[in-house]
Amino acid sequence: MTPSRDISRLLEIMAALRTPGTGCPWDLDQSFETIAPYTVEEAYEVADAIARGEPDDICDELGDLLLQVVFHARMAEEDGLFDFGDVVTAVTKKMIRRHPHVFGDAQRRGSGMSKAIWERIKAEEKAEKAARREAAGRTERQLGFLDDVPVAAPALMRAEKLQKRASTVGFDWNDLGAVREKLAEELGELDAEIDAETPDKDRIEDELGDLLFVIANVARHLDIDPEKALQRTNEKFRGRFGHIEDSLKTAGRTLDDASLEDMEALWQEAKGKDR
């Protein structure tokens, strides 16, 4: 089998990998549940390649992510649920529907997208999804207003999305000052649990979670993506620690034989260079 630019070749490869008897034992052993973590991982690897600005890596990682879509679609087809064509139909239908100012009638084109129109489209999609579930006999409980914010999303990102969703119905602080007061309050409650006569790890964890949740809210009120902000700090930490490691190596030393004072001095040196 040879490579091809045609998506049908990728579908053929996945079908071959999933064919009992002649396929790949590992691929045959997988399910939606076992593949899901790889799907999330591949999405992060795409983001990482973009952050590094490596076009070849971006292309390669996008291919890996596409493979995940094909993998899930193949398993669904085997179970008689849907196939890759259904996935494409669903997303093209969604994109056309969500852009009436581009794909609608002549009157709608060029009119822009208002928040009211967007919310109406989303509500219609949610109602249709519920109707499909009911028609298929899946009597799942009615989703609450916040229940469709993905549980699998990174916790900090999910906190921001939950807060943003709640704010659309007025459940929000009026200004940044009130959020900052809440931040100070939560920090005080965390300190109190840490300094308790008999500290309780579960209570400390609970208060730490509250603090992180409010920090995400502070970021939202500042119009800053908290996930991106933390990633930026992660990279800053990695870079400064790398300076410590490189400086010690240049001096013929290692991290193991350096004192905390030595590393702190080099950290401050790296910090000064950042400025």
Side-chain angles (χ1 to χ4, degrees), residues 137-154:
R138 296 197 295 272
T139 55
E140 302 165 352
R141 73 177 181 85
Q142 183 69 33
L143 287 177
F145 189 69
L146 301 178
D147 288 353
D148 59 349
V149 176
V151 176

Side-chain angles (χ1 to χ4, degrees), residues 10 36 48 63 88 115-116 135 162 170 185 187 208 233 239 275:
L10 182 56
D48 180 65
V88 176
K115 184 177 179 180
L162 287 167
E185 176 188 326
L187 181 58
L208 181 60
T233 296
R275 291 172 180 163

Side-chain angles (χ1 to χ4, degrees), residues 32 72-87:
F32 290 121
H72 284 286
R74 178 63 195 181
M75 291 187 291
E77 184 177 358
E78 292 167 0
D79 291 341
L81 302 174
F82 56 84
D83 61 18
F84 185 78
D86 294 321
V87 174

Side-chain angles (χ1 to χ4, degrees), residues 90 93-94 97-98 121-143 147-150 165:
K93 179 181 177 182
K94 184 183 296 182
R97 182 176 195 168
R98 290 184 176 183
I121 292 171
K122 293 285 286 183
E124 289 173 353
E125 289 176 354
K126 184 178 285 190
E128 287 182 5
K129 186 179 292 187
R132 286 198 303 270
R133 285 175 176 159
E134 185 177 347
R138 296 197 295 272
T139 55
E140 302 165 352
R141 73 177 181 85
Q142 183 69 33
L143 287 177
D147 288 353
D148 59 349
V149 176
R165 177 71 63 82

Side-chain angles (χ1 to χ4, degrees), residues 5-265:
R5 294 178 63 88
D6 193 329
I7 188 65
S8 63
R9 180 55 48 85
L10 182 56
L11 297 175
E12 291 170 359
I13 289 172
M14 180 51 64
L17 292 173
R18 291 279 298 180
T19 300
T22 59
C24 171
W26 186 89
D27 289 281
L28 282 163
D29 196 40
Q30 302 311 306
S31 65
F32 290 121
E33 291 76 17
T34 62
I35 287 296
Y38 295 101
T39 308
V40 174
E41 181 181 338
E42 293 299 349
Y44 278 121
E45 290 184 2
V46 170
D48 180 65
I50 291 171
R52 289 185 282 106
E54 295 286 348
D56 289 344
D57 288 353
I58 295 172
C59 179
D60 189 56
E61 297 299 346
L62 283 171
D64 290 345
L65 185 58
L66 176 59
L67 177 64
Q68 295 297 308
V69 177
V70 170
F71 206 143
H72 284 286
R74 178 63 195 181
M75 291 187 291
E77 184 177 358
E78 292 167 0
D79 291 341
L81 302 174
F82 56 84
D83 61 18
F84 185 78
D86 294 321
V87 174
V88 176
T89 299
V91 73
T92 52
K93 179 181 177 182
K94 184 183 296 182
M95 294 305 292
I96 293 169
R97 182 176 195 168
R98 290 184 176 183
H99 297 82
H101 54 300
V102 177
F103 304 114
D105 55 36
Q107 185 176 357
R108 290 185 176 184
R109 288 178 198 165
S111 62
M113 171 67 84
S114 70
K115 184 177 179 180
I117 294 175
W118 175 255
E119 292 298 336
R120 177 180 57 77
I121 292 171
K122 293 285 286 183
E124 289 173 353
E125 289 176 354
K126 184 178 285 190
E128 287 182 5
K129 186 179 292 187
R132 286 198 303 270
R133 285 175 176 159
E134 185 177 347
R138 296 197 295 272
T139 55
E140 302 165 352
R141 73 177 181 85
Q142 183 69 33
L143 287 177
F145 189 69
L146 301 178
D147 288 353
D148 59 349
V149 176
V151 176
L156 196 60
M157 180 187 296
R158 186 164 184 253
E160 190 269 343
K161 288 184 178 297
L162 287 167
Q163 295 161 6
K164 188 174 182 180
R165 177 71 63 82
S167 72
T168 63
V169 291
F171 192 76
D172 197 5
W173 279 288
N174 294 324
D175 56 58
L176 178 61
V179 189
R180 293 175 67 182
E181 288 178 9
K182 185 64 176 177
L183 179 62
E185 176 188 326
E186 294 296 350
L187 181 58
E189 292 179 3
L190 174 62
D191 285 340
E193 290 298 336
I194 293 173
D195 296 335
E197 187 173 340
T198 54
D200 184 302
K201 188 173 180 180
D202 284 341
R203 292 179 65 86
I204 291 173
E205 180 180 294
D206 189 56
E207 293 300 342
L208 181 60
D210 289 348
L211 180 62
L212 291 170
F213 193 82
V214 177
I215 287 173
N217 218 337
V218 171
R220 183 174 62 85
H221 278 263
L222 290 170
D223 196 25
I224 291 173
D225 180 344
E227 194 75 24
K228 183 179 178 181
L230 184 55
Q231 285 288 13
R232 183 174 179 177
T233 296
N234 288 342
E235 283 305 298
K236 185 164 56 178
F237 181 89
R238 184 195 60 79
R240 290 176 182 175
F241 195 84
H243 173 78
I244 295 173
E245 189 174 12
D246 292 343
S247 298
L248 289 170
K249 186 176 181 180
T250 300
R253 303 175 64 191
T254 67
L255 291 168
D256 291 333
D257 61 36
S259 67
L260 177 59
E261 290 74 17
D262 293 336
M263 289 190 282
E264 176 62 24

